[in-house]
Amino acid sequence: MSKTVRLREHRYDIIDAYKQGATLSDLARRHSATTTDIRTLLLSNSVPLRTERMPGPEVVEALVAAYASGGTVNQLARDYQLGTTTVRRVLVENGVKVRNQGLTQQQRAEVRRLYAQGESAAAIARVFGVARMTVQKAVEEHGGTMRSHAEARAVRRGEVPVLSDEELVQRYQAGDSMVRLAEEFHVGTSTLRRRLRALGVPSRRRGGA
């Protein structure tokens, strides 16, 4: 049985557990999946995602010390039941240079999610300890496009709304068309279609697009 089929069969258990407070990392370990798999399943079932809490001062100190002693981001995420992005953000915000180990498929998906939510390529590169070009490649490999300097400034000033994966899935499944979303968020319909496909959401027929 494939992982996708297995997760689909357990989707109601996963959704219930998440609504009761289980984290993406908890569910990923419980179902032998990645946090991206769990996030995709939740979004495709119109479940709003929580913003992962930042750890307290004692945990932050322990994370920094463990990383300095040779621990990896993935190990720390498992040990402290945090997302890898949260671990990286904690390290960066505390002046720790994250070791460049390249990006896994799961990390590239997280890069795309953060960029779609309005984070700058430079900020994401610092969090993951990679070059800006690595972020650009991760964004573009599924048909995404980098914002121009003018668009980036407009996003920072809040003049152009940013369409997150969560909102994209919710609005598309609620009936908004590709054309309407593309016009509202200043992106191409082909980009939206590729994002939905990457999230496991099938496109409607042309008449309902």
Side-chain angles (χ1 to χ4, degrees), residues 117-119 147 150-162:
Q117 290 180 341
E119 291 277 7
R147 292 184 285 271
E151 289 171 334
R153 286 195 298 272
V155 168
R156 287 196 297 272
R157 292 194 298 262
E159 296 172 359
V160 176
V162 175

Side-chain angles (χ1 to χ4, degrees), residues 2 16 30 58 66 71 78-79 81 107-108 111 138 149 164 177 194 200-202:
S2 70
D16 287 343
R30 197 177 303 171
E58 291 183 1
R78 286 194 299 270
D79 291 345
Q81 297 188 346
Q107 289 166 349
R108 291 197 297 274
V111 164
H149 291 303
S164 67
S177 70
R194 282 190 287 267
V201 180

